[in-house]
């Protein structure tokens, strides 16, 4: 296996991007990453694109070729593949790109993630997202993702004494971080009371416990680590890539408060990197709902099971805490264009390890982790990255 | 447009009201948070015998009662609405006949979502300027529709305003007007459909806010004015929140818009909204007051007006017709069942 480096990153602004098409978003993020890496089209060996449901959101499938075309590479006939794993589509695309370089097949790969979700109504977006749940056993009975994560939250509150205030603190922290990220959908700090007094979506989750519907795209350029110096002196290494699956439905799990796909993907990644959770300096975790961040920091081994709420309350995960989590603002404040999220997490970790995260820069960041989840936890990817 | 402007005005608001809370309780929603979110406490509801034609006639009669214009001198009537009672057969002819303005009369019904009324003011102003008519009557009125259970049900209401435009005895001169128009499909109702459809959040930033701010900026540029030069400002009010936000974006204060802000008490009267807002301002305006108005119609466009109130407003018999404030206060609450009957939500064969 060869070492793999991130040599370029690109993001569009996340938000309600009424004046940008799906095609424009992919081209913008991709061209920024390619420009950042300083590569040319003919040097790209392959492209991988994460997109969850472009067919339902914008009526466009066949996204692999579209992205290569929209990026202006139709004449070089780059192999381009779309990858889908619900909200983990971006993380899976990164992993596919990583594997193709690690295996020796490719040297330079562009990975993209994109979703344009605002072209359909809120109800249609919720329905489309619910296709990532078990249609026969969950969605058919009316369970949407807010409902499924609300069940996780109530069980977590019952089993471990986690409180609504602790859930709310995740949102407050992530909005504070988002306020420092010019690419974030929401760049405004919020108060605890605002979160607690917001309209209930599915008890105990209120409006501010939920990530928004977002348009956006992200891209990274991956390269064999030994060739990275030919292009840039700002490379960051991906030192581990883990992936795991679990039951598609929530009720099939041995414990609904534990995402075993996270546990196993993390175990795989820590083993490959020869590191433990204590070695991680910062993490981007999949906070599609506030409870998801609490479960994530437990399942990734940063805190004991059941202690996630307290860790947030004790401000361990704030920007100046001992383990900053979601410095980008997370899915909650940065936004959650589902197919782009996993790639955007890699972008944030790369910026932090390069020292390019500006106002939200974590001091002495050396090792970062990105955690991307599909559905209620049926798919998970964990990537560990290291500053060079 | 020296000397051309508003000669008289009138408005009409049906007296029935339904509270947002009452609608919310039927659909299992939280009325208080919806009221807070939309900035609408209650909305006006037309009775079974009220429609755009009757509201237009009432508003026009109120305008005529306040002045001494002979209806036979009115040479044009434009009725703007998205709820004309007939798909084919004009509302304007009903109004013309009812007020005694026929037959030497230009008439057309207008439709441009919520701004068809102000479009009528522009047309009348142009006809007067061209000396083709002595007086023009521009009306904006609606009994707007909302599908049961849709978010629009909390706002879609009924009401209208009528303005006589001319050169003589002008109570408020229209110094400048312009429009800002694009093809932006944020809200629509296809032919044969009973209820409109909308693009959710797309109706905000790229639609309402873009068009109003662009038009308002253009009209201030044209007039060489700044927000602080105005005593009153009226913005289209699809709910109670948007006009406050757009005013703030443009640099107007709440004090400038509150007299013309009716949405919290009567909902969104669509083509009537800015017309009733302007009528409310004229109810209290003094000579020399400067008034700023920007309407918005989905689809989409905005009409902007820079208006100055003249000394003649003192001679207008404003007391001959009820003020907007009086009509807002003259109300009777109904429950959802009565609302369903009045607004034709019930079907049987």
């Amino acid at each position: 296996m060869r070492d793999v480096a991130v040599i370029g990153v690109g993001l569009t602004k996340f938000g309600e991007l009424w004046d940008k098409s799906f095609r424009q978003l992919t081209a913008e993020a991709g061209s920024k990453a390619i420009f950042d890496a300083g590569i040319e089209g003919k040097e790209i060996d392959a492209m991988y694109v994460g997109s969850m449901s472009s067919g339902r959101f914008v009526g466009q499938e066949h996204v692999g070729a579209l992205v290569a075309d929209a990026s202006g590479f139709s004449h070089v006939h780059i192999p381009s593949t779309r990858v889908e794993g619900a909200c983990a589509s971006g993380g899976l695309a990164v992993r596919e790109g990583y594997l193709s370089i690690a295996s020796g097949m490719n040297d330079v790969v562009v990975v993209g993630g994109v979703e344009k979700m605002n072209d359909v109504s809120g109800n249609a977006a919720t329905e489309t997202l619910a296709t990532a749940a078990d249609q026969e056993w969950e969605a058919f009975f009316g369970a949407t993702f807010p409902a499924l994560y609300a069940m996780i939250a109530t069980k977590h509150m019952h089993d471990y004494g986690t409180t609504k205030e602790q859930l709310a603190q995740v949102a407050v922290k992530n909005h504070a971080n988002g306020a420092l990220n010019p690419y974030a959908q929401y760049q405004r700090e919020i108060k605890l009371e605002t979160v607690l007094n917001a309209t209930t979506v599915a008890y105990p989750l209120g409006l501010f416990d939920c990530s928004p519907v977002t348009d956006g795209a992200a891209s990274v350029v991956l390269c064999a680590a030994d060739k990275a110096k030919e292009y840039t002196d700002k490379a960051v290494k991906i030192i581990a890539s883990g992936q795991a699956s679990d039951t598609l439905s929530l009720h099939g799990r041995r414990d609904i408060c534990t995402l075993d796909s996270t546990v196993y993907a993390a175990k795989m990644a820590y083993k490959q990197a020869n590191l433990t959770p204590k070695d991680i300096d910062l993490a981007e975790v999949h906070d599609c709902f506030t409870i998801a961040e609490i479960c994530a920091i437990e399942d990734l081994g940063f805190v004991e099971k059941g202690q996630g709420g307290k860790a947030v309350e004790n401000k361990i995960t704030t920007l100046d805490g001992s383990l900053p989590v979601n410095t980008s603002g997370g899915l909650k404040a940065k936004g959650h264009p589902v197919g782009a999220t996993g790639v955007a997490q890699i972008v944030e970790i790369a910026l932090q390890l390069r020292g390019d995260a500006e106002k939200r820069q974590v001091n002495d960041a050396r090792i970062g982790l990105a955690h991307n989840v599909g559905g209620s936890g049926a798919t998970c990817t964990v990537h560990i990255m290291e500053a060079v | 447009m020296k000397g051309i402007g508003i000669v008289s005005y009138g408005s009409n608001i049906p007296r029935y009201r339904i509270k947002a809370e009452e609608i919310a309780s039927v659909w299992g929603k939280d009325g208080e948070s919806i009221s807070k979110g939309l900035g609408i406490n209650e909305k006006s509801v037309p009775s079974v015998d009220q429609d755009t034609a009757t509201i237009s006639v009432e508003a026009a009669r109120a305008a005529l009662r306040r002045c001494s214009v002979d209806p036979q001198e009115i040479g044009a009537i434009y009725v703007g609405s998205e709820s004309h009672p007939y798909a084919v057969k004009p509302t304007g002819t009903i109004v013309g006949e009812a007020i005694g303005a026929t037959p030497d009369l230009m008439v057309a019904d207008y439709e441009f979502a919520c701004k068809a009324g102000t479009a009528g003011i522009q047309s009348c102003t142009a006809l007067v300027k061209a000396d083709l008519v002595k007086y023009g009557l521009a009306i904006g009125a609606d009994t707007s529709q909302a599908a049961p259970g849709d978010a629009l049900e909390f706002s879609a209401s009924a009401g209208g305003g009528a303005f006589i435009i001319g050169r003589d005895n002008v109570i408020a001169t229209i110094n400048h007007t312009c429009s800002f128009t694009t093809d932006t499909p944020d809200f629509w109702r296809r032919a044969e459909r009973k209820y409109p459809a909308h693009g959710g959040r797309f109706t905000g930033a790229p639609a309402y806010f873009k068009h109003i701010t662009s038009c308002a900026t253009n009209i201030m540029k044209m007039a060489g004015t700044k927000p602080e030069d105005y005593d009153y400002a009226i913005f289209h009010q699809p709910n109670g929140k948007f006009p406050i936000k757009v005013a703030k974006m443009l640099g107007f204060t709440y004090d400038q818009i509150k007299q013309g802000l009716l949405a919290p008490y009567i909902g969104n009267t669509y083509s009537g909204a800015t017309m009733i807002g302007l009528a409310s301002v004229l109810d209290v305006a003094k000579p020399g007051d400067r008034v700023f108005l920007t309407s918005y119609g989905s689809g989409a466009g905005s009409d902007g007006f820079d208006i100055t109130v003249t000394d003649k407003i003192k001679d207008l018999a404003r007391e001959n017709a009820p003020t907007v404030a009086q009509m807002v206060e003259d109300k009777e609450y109904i429950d959802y069942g009565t609302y369903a009957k009045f607004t034709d939500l019930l079907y049987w064969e």
Side-chain angles (χ1 to χ4, degrees):
Chain A
M1 291 257 288
R2 296 196 296 175
D3 284 345
V4 179
V6 176
I7 60 167
V9 298
L11 277 182
T12 65
K13 165 95 175 63
F14 280 14
E16 290 175 341
L17 309 177
W18 307 114
D19 56 347
K20 286 185 181 167
S21 69
F22 181 88
R23 185 185 298 259
Q24 284 174 303
L25 291 174
T26 61
E28 182 184 328
S31 55
K32 280 180 178 171
I34 288 164
F35 185 75
D36 187 40
I39 57 166
E40 287 179 44
K42 60 184 184 208
E43 293 172 295
I44 301 168
D45 297 319
M47 294 176 79
Y48 291 92
V49 186
S51 179
M52 175 190 159
S53 198
S54 54
R56 290 180 64 123
F57 283 126
V58 294
Q60 176 70 62
E61 305 290 14
H62 209 164
V63 165
L66 178 140
V67 171
D69 186 13
S71 305
F73 299 139
S74 56
H75 64 293
V76 276
H77 308 290
I78 297 168
S80 184
T81 308
R82 182 232 183 127
V83 182
E84 191 275 314
C87 309
S89 300
L92 290 180
V94 171
R95 184 170 153 83
E96 291 304 312
Y98 168 88
L99 291 175
S100 80
I101 294 173
S103 69
M105 177 67 93
N106 296 318
D107 286 336
V108 176
V109 170
V110 175
V111 177
V114 59
E115 215 76 63
K116 183 154 177 62
M117 303 169 73
N118 279 297
D119 282 7
V120 296
S121 69
N123 285 349
T126 304
E127 217 171 273
T128 295
L129 292 170
T131 62
D134 188 321
Q135 281 299 306
E136 202 174 340
W137 290 107
E138 291 177 324
F140 180 80
F141 295 100
T144 58
F145 276 100
L148 294 170
Y149 274 92
M151 288 185 223
I152 298 176
T154 44
K155 184 77 164 43
H156 206 279
M157 290 162 90
H158 174 268
D159 288 359
Y160 305 112
T162 302
T163 64
K164 244 176 93 74
E165 285 74 14
Q166 290 169 343
L167 295 174
Q169 273 163 344
V170 173
V172 171
K173 168 187 70 77
N174 289 349
H175 270 260
N177 292 347
L180 304 174
N181 183 354
Y183 291 91
Q185 180 163 6
Y186 301 124
Q187 298 175 30
R188 211 183 285 177
E189 293 193 23
I190 53 170
K191 291 184 180 140
L192 191 69
E193 305 82 71
T194 309
V195 185
L196 292 172
N197 296 332
T199 303
T200 299
V201 174
Y203 179 84
L205 304 177
L207 190 63
F208 284 80
D209 287 290
C210 309
S211 58
V213 169
T214 310
D215 305 327
S219 183
V220 292
V221 179
L222 305 182
C223 174
D226 56 356
K227 295 185 193 291
K229 277 229 153 59
E230 293 173 23
Y231 299 104
T232 180
D233 52 6
K234 292 197 294 189
V236 169
K237 266 166 114 178
I238 297 180
I239 55 174
S241 174
Q243 182 188 339
S245 60
D246 200 349
T247 61
L248 191 60
S249 60
L250 187 63
H251 61 263
R253 312 267 164 82
R254 74 178 169 83
D255 167 21
I256 66 166
C257 291
T258 305
L259 277 69
D260 272 339
S261 60
T262 296
V263 174
Y264 281 84
K267 198 184 275 185
M268 187 189 287
Y270 289 136
K271 188 177 170 198
Q272 187 190 348
N274 197 23
L275 294 172
T276 71
K278 286 194 176 57
D279 299 315
I280 305 299
D281 296 326
L282 80 158
E284 284 288 297
V285 308
H286 197 90
D287 61 320
C288 49
F289 298 91
T290 50
I291 183 63
E293 178 166 322
I294 287 174
C295 290
I297 59 175
E298 295 169 355
D299 298 338
L300 290 165
F302 298 143
V303 297
E304 293 267 304
K305 192 73 216 167
Q307 299 303 303
K310 284 203 185 83
V312 175
E313 191 179 336
N314 293 334
K315 309 212 180 295
I316 287 167
T317 54
T318 58
L319 204 52
D320 53 0
S322 57
L323 176 70
V325 170
N326 285 331
T327 57
S328 66
L331 284 55
K332 175 68 204 77
K334 184 183 59 186
H336 185 25
V338 284
T341 284
V343 183
Q345 292 175 323
I346 301 291
V347 171
E348 175 67 9
I349 297 292
L351 290 173
Q352 288 282 359
L353 300 183
R354 276 160 47 163
D356 287 342
E358 298 176 344
K359 286 182 191 164
R360 59 188 194 284
Q361 181 65 49
V362 173
N363 290 334
D364 304 323
R366 295 284 308 159
I367 310 269
L369 179 147
H371 162 254
N372 190 199
V373 171
S376 62
T379 299
C380 178
T381 63
V382 172
H383 288 94
I384 301 177
M385 297 160 67
E386 185 180 21
V388 175
Chain B
M1 282 186 289
K2 203 163 184 309
I4 299 172
I6 299 163
V7 175
S8 185
Y9 70 98
S11 54
N12 182 254
I13 303 166
R15 63 193 301 269
Y16 292 107
R17 302 282 184 280
I18 187 165
K19 291 190 171 180
E21 252 168 64
E22 170 70 11
I23 298 169
S25 68
V26 171
W27 300 108
K29 292 178 180 169
D30 179 354
E32 202 189 320
S33 86
I34 289 174
S35 262
K36 214 175 121 193
L38 288 175
I40 292 176
N41 305 319
E42 55 198 50
K43 67 167 190 173
S44 62
V45 181
S47 184
V48 280
D49 57 358
Q50 287 178 305
D51 62 13
T52 292
T54 68
I55 291 171
S56 298
V57 169
E58 289 297 328
R61 284 177 173 166
L64 285 167
R65 277 201 298 275
R66 286 181 165 138
C67 64
S68 55
V69 169
D70 177 355
Q72 281 295 309
E73 290 187 314
I74 293 174
I77 297 179
Y78 294 100
V79 182
S81 180
E82 60 176 70
S83 51
H84 289 290
Y86 294 86
V88 180
K89 194 229 167 295
T91 308
T93 53
I94 301 173
V95 176
E97 202 75 60
I99 64 170
T102 52
D104 298 321
L105 184 68
M106 300 181 202
V107 167
D109 283 3
Y110 277 180
E111 184 281 312
F112 195 145
C114 296
K115 82 157 191 78
T118 54
I121 293 181
Q122 289 177 323
S123 297
C124 287
T125 306
L127 288 175
V128 171
K129 188 178 180 186
D131 284 328
L132 286 171
V133 299
K134 184 168 185 192
Y135 296 109
L137 173 62
I139 299 171
D142 258 304
T143 53
S144 51
Q145 324 84 19
D150 190 281
L152 285 176
E153 201 174 28
F154 293 95
S155 58
S157 66
F163 292 83
I164 298 172
I165 308 296
R167 279 186 201 276
D168 303 332
N169 298 316
V170 168
I171 60 158
T173 55
I174 295 172
N175 312 318
H176 300 277
T177 182
C178 73
S179 298
F180 183 89
T181 309
T182 71
D183 185 36
T184 302
D186 59 323
F187 174 103
W188 63 92
R189 180 163 62 85
R190 297 294 294 253
E192 308 292 325
R193 289 297 178 96
K194 193 169 164 70
Y195 301 114
H198 55 87
R201 292 178 59 77
F202 185 72
T203 59
Y208 176 90
F209 292 102
K210 177 184 164 184
H211 290 78
I212 289 197
T213 53
S214 303
C215 182
T217 307
N218 288 349
I219 198 88
M220 279 189 275
K221 205 169 167 186
M222 198 183 260
T225 51
K226 293 193 282 295
E228 54 267 34
D229 297 332
Y230 293 94
D231 299 284
Y232 299 99
I234 301 128
F235 297 103
H236 178 53
Q237 34 207 280
N239 52 53
K241 280 280 174 72
F242 277 22
I244 295 176
K245 188 174 170 188
V246 84
K248 201 173 166 191
M249 285 165 75
L250 285 162
F252 289 89
T253 65
Y254 180 73
D255 279 346
Q256 286 169 295
I257 65 166
K258 70 180 178 193
Q259 181 65 29
L261 183 61
L262 284 312
Y265 323 107
I266 60 170
N268 178 9
T269 54
Y270 284 52
S271 303
T274 44
M275 308 287 270
I276 296 173
L278 179 57
S280 175
V281 164
L282 293 176
D283 280 341
V284 300
K286 298 182 303 296
D289 281 347
R290 196 94 180 240
V291 183
F292 188 81
L293 185 149
T294 310
S295 61
Y296 173 72
S298 289
S302 279
D303 301 330
F305 297 87
D306 167 49
I307 297 165
T308 305
V309 178
T310 73
D311 287 341
K312 298 274 182 199
I313 195 152
K314 291 193 284 191
D315 304 331
L316 191 75
R318 284 191 272 191
E319 67 284 358
N320 281 1
T323 65
V324 170
Q326 284 167 338
M327 285 185 283
V328 167
E329 284 310 312
D330 177 19
K331 60 187 173 183
E332 183 177 330
Y333 289 108
I334 55 171
D335 60 13
Y336 194 87
T338 310
Y339 168 79
K341 184 176 81 172
F342 283 0
T343 56
D344 200 22
L345 297 188
L346 306 169
Y347 294 89
W348 62 89
E349 291 187 352

